[in-house]
Amino acid sequence: MNTTACILHTLRHESRDAAMGKRFMHNAIGGTVIGTGLLATLGLAVLASVGAPGPAMAQAKPVTIRAVMHSGLRITDPIITTAYIARNHGYMIYDTLFATDASFKVQPQMVKEYSVSDDTLIYTFTLRDGLKFHDGAPVTSADCIASLRRWGKRDSMGQKLMEYTASLDAVDDRTFTLKLKQPYGLVLTSLGKPSSNVPFIMPKRIAETPADKNVPEEIGSGPFRFVKGEFQPGLKVVYEKNPDYVPRSEASSWTSGAKVVKVDRVEWLNIPDYQTAVNALINGEIDYIEQPPHDFLPILKAAPGIQIINYNTLGVSGMLRMNWLNPPFDNEKIRQAALLAVNQQDYLDAQIGDPDYMVPCLAMFVCNTPNATDAGAPKTDLARAKQLLKEGGYDGKPIVVMQPTDLAIVAPLGPVTAQALRKIGMNVDLQSMDWQTLVGRRAKQDPVDQGGWNIFHTTWVNADMLNPVSNVGINARGKKGGFFGWAEDAEIETMRNAYALETDPGKQVAIAKAVQERAYAVGMYYPTGQFISPLAAGPKLKGILEAPAPVFWNIEKK
Amino acid sequence: MGRFLAGRLAATLPVMGVVAVIVFLLLRLAPGDPAAILAGDAASPEQIAAIRARLGLDQPILTQFLSWLGRLLQGDLGSSIISNQPVAKLILERIEPTLALATTTIVFAVLVAVPLGVLAAWWHGTWVDRAVMAVSVLGFSVPVFVLGYLLIFGFAMQLRLLPVQGYVSITEGLWPFLSRLILPTLTLSVIYIALIARTTRSSVLEVLGEDYIRTARAKGIGETQVLWRHALRNAAVPVISVIGLGIALLISGVVVTESVFNLPGLGRLTVDSVLARDYPVIQGVILLFSALYVVINLAIDLSYLLFDPRIRY
């Protein structure tokens, strides 16, 4: 065969084989692709049909509540941190000596009975019978004293109480005394405070951990036990019913009264994407979302069987905080100008949007509470604000407003403030960052050009804001122990002390009013409005209680 | 071969050393303060300073680095600043979901993409080729979270065939394990199907034009043999490189997919640690990723030996 013949033969061969090959490929490869797709589809269908019942139908035993909380639990010590997720964890596994009820009265909780000496200097507490820690040890006076001492090193109300405490002494295993240096009006209010830091009672050996170091064990005497083996920081926390817990006989009211556990287990899951959490709730995979964003509430309301519950009617407040150390807010007139430039409704519209969950309120100690007042509250007045700005000598330097873009509930506040201040002629540098960068930067007392700042916003659970001692925004100790922004005002500090020492509730209300008037006058902070963050629960949950923190006792799962 | 292996493994150490130094320095230069995070909202500057001192964060960076390096050389990755848990334990808890998702995704993607790529190459220029390429472009273009939500809507919310979210270990049953991986696998594999199919197509196309293919046909070898023994095998090297890189990318972070389907994998651990400025965890995870990259690259290089006899080490 010559070369030409050879090439022709090859080409004919190629042509024939190509045609055959195409047919083969059509059948074989195309079939493979289609087959793979079919296999995958079939696999799904077969697995779906022969597999275990779908998640929506699954009924786990033991009875378990699966809850998505507002954040993942990473720090298990509710004394070392003020993080609300740690406080909520505290309510699961610890108990308290006293607790606040729905009418703001402090009620005995672990305490069976207490007495106050005639000179109001000695409080004697006797513990209830049968109190036991999860490791089986009885709760003793020594445990309570050690726990109160540790709490007193961290919490603002605890620190104040300890300032006026002469001694804490055990009388016997179940009785102890708190002796004061002088009459103090907030002893029971402090011991029964409902929010961070709550004076939870731990075993003495654990409570002796330094107050800036996480406790090594999670042992309490509360209604649930912490299941350490299943704890995955930031992902999952498991609690099981404490069979040894002896509830009080009184009805539950906020964090006081009977804590009757009606399920076997509670699992806290951290689902970072709220769309996924909402889908999971509607699909029956979880039972409870602590704080669904307000944007999702219409979807949840429309879903069959989903309950929207305003469990914390006290709600949450926003706060605009200025830095007193840096110009221009080191000048009282400029701070007053800022307070006259802003409008609370603008914040609530941007932050919440739904009027059903907004509570316009300029009471620094929370509306509908004993200390609520609108005394001294500013009314938006742009002309006066501009005049004060001029009188204050504002030089046009940029104001650094820190905006945490990853915290949906706080993110809208910065732009509202920026716009309001621009309206009166201030030069605003709105800096976006993540919340933890903000947390690090707000602790800096440096000038703005060295990493400092002028304004940040945050939110507080209102249970933390009820009086001039617990409300950190009113702390006027400046650089010596004040809240970020370091407001300093001797008059306010004098009134805060007077409030703490006053034993007459009526006089305390009058002092609180005076404190608020002064706080607005000097520009301690601006409350950007109250709002309610309801929880969403699946149709199987019944008996969710109203409380200043999410509590899981009394909840049944049918 | 032995020397090659030993050399490549020895090269791992300086690579990881450089990574360790860079990560350590970058973290210290980044804004944020774990002590302030730990201390909480109501903390005083004194309390924050006390926590910083306890954690050793007030020490010079060199001292901190040497202290960390010393522990690392003893096999101790340290403990999380935030949760106080050992870093190794945190990583071990998260590695299973990541490996499971990476495995199912890459297996599914290869099973679908390689035949698709071959099909497109074989019918080059026809509507089949254009359809495969169009699907590939779509696969690249659709954001992962959009596809994820659509699949959840269809399969979980409407048909109720599969769960919306979560992860269950295979030790708790095959169906619970698989049922939670099907949707994330489908979501994540689309982009890898697109990538592998395009690479396979171009690689097979190139090989089909080679002289040895024509020679094989001239020798009378059937098309099946030509395709599987001669074309695909020679086209495999670039495809394997893409698959290997895909595995490395899958292991080192698919945060969006993990978030949408609530999978507790390494991607979420990394992001959570970065947001919390949990230095020891970030350092541990990045070191692991750098080691994985080195090992996977080595495995890819070794796998070339199986497909291309011309390659020698």
Side-chain angles (χ1 to χ4, degrees):
Chain A
M1 194 181 292
N2 63 29
T3 308
T4 309
C6 183
I7 291 169
L8 283 172
H9 174 79
T10 307
L11 286 174
R12 277 198 300 274
H13 203 83
E14 270 188 5
S15 172
R16 189 188 71 208
D17 278 2
M20 284 175 65
K22 280 184 181 173
R23 279 198 298 278
F24 167 78
M25 291 301 289
H26 188 269
N27 295 332
I29 301 178
T32 306
V33 174
I34 295 163
T36 307
L38 278 175
L39 268 176
T41 313
L42 273 174
L44 281 175
V46 170
L47 285 168
S49 59
V50 304
M57 293 169 281
Q59 177 62 53
K61 287 186 179 178
V63 179
T64 302
I65 296 174
R66 292 186 178 83
V68 171
M69 305 305 282
H70 70 272
S71 162
L73 180 73
R74 293 175 180 85
I75 303 169
T76 57
D77 186 342
I79 302 300
I80 193 179
T81 179
T82 52
Y84 292 132
I85 190 69
R87 175 205 61 186
N88 300 348
H89 159 77
Y91 273 118
M92 296 297 279
I93 68 167
Y94 300 109
D95 211 346
T96 52
L97 296 173
F98 289 87
T100 304
D101 69 14
S103 55
F104 302 100
K105 287 189 179 137
V106 177
Q107 304 288 356
Q109 187 59 26
M110 294 171 80
V111 165
K112 181 182 178 185
E113 55 194 17
Y114 70 99
S115 62
V116 185
S117 64
D118 291 342
D119 59 4
T120 69
L121 288 178
I122 302 173
Y123 285 70
T124 304
F125 307 105
T126 303
L127 297 171
R128 284 197 287 142
D129 298 325
L131 298 179
K132 274 204 295 191
F133 287 114
H134 302 154
D135 60 1
V139 179
T140 66
S141 301
D143 300 313
C144 299
I145 291 168
S147 299
L148 291 180
R149 285 198 174 125
R150 186 166 189 264
W151 164 77
K153 289 177 185 161
R154 296 291 301 185
D155 179 66
S156 59
M157 286 192 79
Q159 288 167 351
K160 203 77 171 166
L161 175 62
M162 291 303 148
E163 262 180 56
Y164 292 100
T165 297
S167 68
L168 278 160
D169 303 300
V171 175
D172 59 39
D173 273 358
R174 286 180 45 223
T175 306
F176 66 99
T177 58
L178 184 150
K179 290 178 186 157
L180 295 167
K181 295 173 186 167
Q182 64 183 92
Y184 185 71
L186 297 175
V187 174
L188 297 184
T189 306
S190 304
L191 297 179
K193 69 176 293 206
S195 195
S196 296
N197 302 93
V198 179
F200 293 117
I201 301 302
M202 306 173 177
K204 180 171 180 268
R205 63 188 167 83
I206 295 172
E208 284 175 339
T209 307
D212 61 355
K213 193 176 176 190
N214 203 78
V215 290
E217 291 176 82
E218 294 77 15
I219 302 281
S221 62
F224 291 93
R225 293 192 300 215
F226 181 76
V227 183
K228 190 148 193 151
E230 295 188 53
F231 176 47
Q232 291 179 284
L235 281 184
K236 184 180 179 185
V237 199
V238 178
Y239 304 95
E240 59 187 17
K241 180 179 180 176
N242 173 14
D244 296 331
Y245 186 76
V246 183
R248 291 190 71 91
S249 55
E250 300 91 336
S252 297
S253 176
W254 273 18
T255 52
S256 72
K259 297 180 178 177
V260 180
V261 175
K262 298 178 177 175
V263 293
D264 302 306
R265 276 164 66 98
V266 175
E267 294 179 5
W268 286 1
L269 310 169
N270 182 18
I271 299 182
D273 184 292
Y274 270 108
Q275 180 65 64
T276 303
V278 165
N279 287 340
L281 181 68
I282 294 170
N283 225 27
E285 293 171 36
I286 59 169
D287 305 298
Y288 181 108
I289 303 176
E290 184 198 347
Q291 276 180 19
H294 292 86
D295 293 353
F296 285 94
L297 293 178
I299 299 171
L300 288 164
K301 282 178 181 170
I306 300 298
Q307 311 170 69
I308 305 294
I309 300 170
N310 292 341
Y311 76 98
N312 180 1
T313 49
L314 261 188
V316 180
S317 282
M319 175 188 279
L320 181 162
R321 185 72 169 179
M322 292 171 273
N323 188 342
W324 284 38
L325 300 184
N326 287 331
F329 297 122
D330 57 345
N331 183 325
E332 189 174 307
K333 286 195 172 176
I334 308 285
R335 292 196 298 271
Q336 286 169 348
L339 295 191
L340 290 171
V342 294
N343 178 358
Q344 193 180 70
Q345 192 60 45
D346 293 341
Y347 289 104
L348 288 170
D349 287 341
Q351 194 180 24
I352 308 301
D354 185 341
D356 288 350
Y357 300 102
M358 299 176 188
V359 187
C361 171
L362 286 163
M364 287 178 162
F365 305 117
V366 186
C367 282
N368 306 315
T369 68
N371 286 329
T373 171
D374 59 1
K379 285 184 183 158
T380 310
D381 184 344
L382 299 185
R384 175 76 183 135
K386 286 176 185 171
Q387 188 190 341
L388 283 168
L389 210 57
K390 202 172 170 184
E391 288 173 16
Y394 173 59
D395 60 3
K397 274 191 182 165
I399 309 299
V400 171
V401 177
M402 299 193 289
Q403 187 208 10
T405 50
D406 60 333
L407 210 57
I409 201 68
V410 182
L413 301 179
V416 175
T417 297
Q419 184 60 22
L421 296 182
R422 283 173 185 142
K423 272 187 185 171
I424 61 167
M426 295 190 94
N427 183 5
V428 180
D429 177 10
L430 183 65
Q431 296 188 5
S432 297
M433 59 191 72
D434 68 281
W435 174 249
Q436 301 302 0
T437 296
L438 187 153
V439 166
R441 187 166 170 187
R442 74 177 176 181
K444 286 178 183 279
Q445 297 182 341
D446 303 326
V448 172
D449 56 5
Q450 291 172 33
W453 54 276
N454 293 114
I455 287 178
F456 80 95
H457 303 81
T458 188
T459 56
W460 292 94
V461 165
N462 282 332
D464 285 331
M465 313 287 277
L466 298 172
N467 64 62
V469 177
S470 68
N471 183 332
V472 295
I474 297 298
N475 178 330
R477 284 186 285 182
K479 290 168 84 171
K480 294 176 183 169
F483 180 59
F484 308 106
W486 305 285
E488 189 167 2
D489 188 83
E491 194 177 322
I492 287 182
E493 276 305 290
T494 305
M495 286 193 280
R496 287 180 76 218
N497 279 333
Y499 183 92
L501 296 173
E502 181 55 62
T503 52
D504 179 342
K507 288 179 182 170
Q508 281 183 327
V509 169
I511 295 170
K513 184 182 174 196
V515 169
Q516 179 173 305
E517 278 175 333
R518 176 72 186 163
Y520 272 127
V522 297
M524 294 288 284
Y525 74 90
Y526 182 78
T528 61
Q530 285 181 214
F531 55 92
I532 303 293
S533 283
L535 64 80
K540 292 179 183 173
L541 296 193
K542 305 284 177 226
I544 294 171
L545 292 173
E546 190 182 307
V551 295
F552 285 82
W553 50 85
N554 201 55
I555 303 179
E556 291 175 80
K557 186 175 178 183
K558 299 287 186 187
Chain B
M1 176 75 174
R3 286 180 63 187
F4 169 76
L5 263 179
R8 286 293 296 270
L9 288 173
T12 309
L13 294 175
V15 169
M16 290 180 66
V18 170
V19 169
V21 173
I22 291 173
V23 170
F24 193 92
L25 288 176
L26 281 179
L27 285 177
R28 266 58 182 185
L29 294 173
D33 182 355
I37 295 166
L38 266 178
D41 280 343
S44 65
E46 294 76 23
Q47 287 172 325
I48 295 172
I51 293 174
R52 202 176 285 129
R54 184 173 58 73
L55 295 173
L57 298 171
D58 59 340
Q59 299 292 311
I61 289 180
L62 183 64
T63 312
Q64 290 183 49
F65 179 71
L66 290 176
S67 163
W68 176 67
L69 190 64
R71 287 197 303 273
L72 188 66
L73 290 173
Q74 295 169 44
D76 179 8
L77 289 171
S79 292
S80 159
I81 288 175
I82 307 296
S83 68
N84 216 22
Q85 303 274 319
V87 173
K89 176 178 176 280
L90 292 174
I91 290 175
L92 278 176
E93 280 173 356
R94 303 295 189 95
I95 207 163
E96 185 193 317
T98 295
L99 286 179
L101 181 61
T103 305
T104 53
T105 300
I106 215 71
V107 166
F108 184 74
V110 168
L111 281 177
V112 174
V114 171
L116 273 181
V118 172
L119 195 70
W122 187 257
W123 277 321
H124 173 56
T126 67
W127 67 269
V128 176
D129 183 21
R130 283 193 289 275
V132 171
M133 287 305 98
V135 169
S136 294
V137 170
L138 196 67
F140 276 125
S141 312
V142 179
V144 168
F145 68 92
V146 171
L147 186 59
Y149 287 138
L150 285 175
L151 289 172
I152 288 172
F153 180 75
F155 286 95
M157 305 299 290
Q158 296 300 311
L159 299 174
R160 299 215 160 206
L161 286 174
L162 297 163
V164 171
Q165 53 81 42
Y167 176 78
V168 169
S169 172
I170 196 166
T171 56
E172 293 179 40
L174 184 62
W175 170 247
F177 169 75
L178 282 178
S179 66
R180 283 163 179 81
L181 280 177
I182 289 170
L183 294 184
T185 299
L186 288 175
T187 303
L188 202 50
S189 59
V190 165
I191 196 162
Y192 290 96
I193 288 171
L195 181 67
I196 297 169
R198 287 179 74 93
T199 309
T200 307
R201 173 187 173 274
S202 60
S203 189
V204 170
L205 256 184
E206 193 181 328
V207 169
L208 284 176
E210 293 288 341
D211 288 344
Y212 56 80
I213 296 291
R214 184 188 301 184
T215 306
R217 284 170 173 157
K219 283 163 67 183
I221 296 173
E223 282 301 313
T224 316
Q225 293 261 45
V226 168
L227 187 70
W228 292 108
R229 283 191 57 189
H230 296 275
L232 263 184
R233 195 167 170 185
N234 282 292
V237 169
V239 178
I240 286 168
S241 300
V242 169
I243 293 171
L245 281 175
I247 294 170
L249 285 171
L250 281 168
I251 290 174
S252 60
V254 284
V255 181
V256 175
T257 308
E258 287 181 2
S259 296
V260 168
F261 293 99
N262 188 32
L263 296 171
L266 285 173
R268 269 178 65 191
L269 177 66
T270 311
V271 171
D272 289 349
S273 307
V274 169
L275 290 176
R277 308 296 189 272
D278 199 344
Y279 299 152
V281 180
I282 305 169
Q283 287 158 192
V285 169
I286 301 286
L287 269 185
L288 172 76
F289 290 159
S290 63
L292 278 172
Y293 264 85
V294 172
V295 169
I296 287 170
N297 272 320
L298 179 60
I300 292 168
D301 289 349
L302 292 176
S303 70
Y304 293 159
L305 294 172
L306 296 172
F307 294 96
D308 192 342
R310 292 167 300 182
I311 295 175
R312 289 276 183 277
Y313 296 121

